[in-house]
Amino acid sequence: MKKEYFGTDGIRGKVGEYPITPDFMLKLGWAAGCVFAREKPGQRVLIGKDTRISGYMFESALEAGFSAAGVDTQLLGPMPTPAVAYLTRTFRAQAGVVISASHNPYYDNGIKFFGPDGMKLPDEVELEIEDHLRRPMTTVECSRIGKATRIRDAAGRYIEFCKSTIPLGINFSGMRIVVDCAHGSTYHVAPDVFSELRATVSTIGAAPDGLNINDRVGATDPENLRRTVLKEKADLGIALDGDGDRLMMVDHEGQVVDGDELLFVIANARSASGELAGSVVGTLMSNLGLEQAIRRLGLEFRRAAVGDRYVMEMMLEHGSILGGESSGHIICRDRTTTGDGIVSALQILAEIVRSGKTLHELKQGMRKYPQRLVNVRLEERVSLDSAPLVQKVKAEVESELGDSGRVLLRPSGTEPLIRVMVEGADEGKVHELADRLAGAVARAFSA
C-alpha cells in the first residue's frame, strides 16, 4: 500500500495547512497510540520537540491523543532528534516522538517516530498508523486513560551519552571551537558537551525565540559560523541544524567541510584503527570523490536512496557501521542508532587529537568533484516519467559529461521540489549543464 501521510522523514508541512494542524495531531497521537498499545496495554512514549513556536501546540495535541488511546507520555521538552532516539531506548519506551521539521523554517513542522530500538519505524508500522487514522477516534475506558509526566534530567542524560562515544582518555584541552546551534534543540546541550570535554567554546545560534530556528544559522547556512571562526581564530567550527541530526564543520582556514568530507575523515580514522571493514554507505547524492576515496581505503562504497532511513536500511542489510549523506546526516552505528550531529562532531575532534592534524589536513585525502544542486519548486508533486523534454535534455547532459560525471534528478520526499544534481570534473561545465537541465524541468511543468 502507498502511504498517504508519511514521507521519507515522517510527516512534514506548513503549520496550519493539513495535515500539520492540531486536530490532525490529536488523531495522529490516538492512531499511533492504538498501534503501540495493541500488543501490550499500558505502554508509554516519549515526546521531544525542537524550538519552533508551534511545538507547544502539537505537543499538547499529541499528548491528548495518546492519552485517549490509553498510552502514557513522558515529555522531554526541547531535545535533539538523536537524543529522543537514545532516550527511547534507555527508558524502555514503546516509541519516541519528535516534533520537528529539521532544517526547515519555523513556519514548517512535522512528526518523526522512533521505535523501541531507537530506529525509525518500519514501513509496515507507519501503514498501520495510517490505517487507524481512517477510523473514528474513540477513548479507552476512563480508568485506562494515559497519564503525562515530564522527564527533568533528559538533557544531562544525553550529554553524558554523547561524551561516552569517544575514548575516556581523550579531551579537547587547548582547542578553540565555535558551536552554531541553529537556534534549535541543541542550544542547551551542545555547548556543554564540548566544554565539559575541556574545549574552549564560543557559541552562536543559541538564543531560540520560537521563530528564528535555522534562520541564517546552522548547518544549512554556515556563513555566519565561517566568519566567526576566522574572526576568533578558532581551530574549527561546528554547525548543527534545528533538530541536531545534521553536521557541517568549518576548518581554521574558513573552508566549509560538508557531510561527504566528514564521512571520509571518520571512515579513514576507523579504518586505520581496525574498527571498519566491509562497506561505507552513502547516497545517490554523495560526491564521486567520496566514493573514490573510500575505495582507496580498500572498502566498498554503496549508494542508498536519499534519506537517512534508507542509508540505515542499507547499512543493516550489509552489516556496515558507517554511513551518511552530503547534507551532514552521519550515522556511526557503532555509537548510536541514527544521524547525530554532536556525536559525529565528537568523532572528528577525537581524531584531530589522536592524529595531531588539523581538520583542514584530515580532509585532504578526499578530492571533491564540483557539484551543483538546483531545486526547482513546482506547484504540486509530479512524475518525471511524464516529461519527455526533461528526459531528452538529461540524456544530452549525460552525453556531454561522459564517464567523468553524474546526473541525478530526484523529487523531494517532503516538498513539491525536483532536485537537479550535476557533478563533473569541470566546475564551469557542471554549472552550465545543471542550469540547462533545471530550466528544462521548470519549462516542462510550468502552468
Side-chain angles (χ1 to χ4, degrees), residues 162-208:
C162 289
K163 294 191 299 183
S164 75
T165 66
I166 62 171
L168 190 60
I170 287 183
N171 67 70
F172 308 137
S173 177
M175 192 179 294
R176 293 180 54 85
I177 65 175
V178 182
V179 179
D180 181 350
C181 300
H183 297 307
S185 58
T186 64
Y187 78 98
H188 61 319
V189 173
D192 288 345
V193 170
F194 298 105
S195 62
E196 288 182 20
L197 289 168
R198 299 176 60 184
T200 300
V201 178
S202 297
T203 306
I204 60 176

Side-chain angles (χ1 to χ4, degrees), residues 194-353:
F194 298 105
S195 62
E196 288 182 20
L197 289 168
R198 299 176 60 184
T200 300
V201 178
S202 297
T203 306
I204 60 176
D209 61 9
L211 307 177
N212 60 1
I213 188 171
N214 300 313
D215 186 10
R216 297 189 296 271
V217 287
T220 55
D221 192 351
E223 178 57 28
N224 187 28
L225 176 64
R226 192 187 71 80
R227 290 195 302 266
T228 306
V229 167
L230 291 173
K231 178 183 177 182
E232 298 194 1
K233 296 182 172 56
D235 295 299
L236 55 86
I238 294 167
L240 305 162
D241 71 336
D243 73 328
D245 62 357
R246 291 190 186 200
L247 170 70
M248 292 285 183
M249 296 183 77
V250 173
D251 66 24
H252 73 283
E253 295 192 3
Q255 295 180 4
V256 176
V257 186
D258 70 8
D260 285 341
E261 293 168 300
L262 296 172
L263 185 58
F264 164 73
V265 172
I266 297 173
N268 194 26
R270 293 278 204 277
S271 179
S273 65
E275 296 178 74
L276 183 62
S279 62
V280 174
V281 177
T283 74
L284 297 173
M285 298 293 290
S286 298
N287 196 278
L288 188 58
L290 173 62
E291 179 175 348
Q292 294 174 345
I294 294 298
R295 294 192 187 283
R296 284 196 295 271
L297 295 176
L299 302 167
E300 188 170 359
F301 185 76
R302 300 180 186 274
R303 291 184 183 269
V306 175
D308 60 331
R309 70 180 298 160
Y310 302 118
V311 172
M312 176 61 87
E313 285 175 5
M314 186 168 282
M315 290 172 68
L316 292 171
E317 180 183 353
H318 296 283
S320 304
I321 66 165
L322 187 61
E325 300 187 271
S326 311
S327 61
H329 285 126
I330 298 173
I331 303 172
C332 301
R333 199 165 64 86
D334 54 346
R335 304 293 195 269
T336 186
T337 61
T338 190
D340 190 318
I342 297 174
V343 169
S344 299
L346 288 170
Q347 311 313 300
I348 301 288
L349 268 62
E351 177 59 12
I352 290 172
V353 172

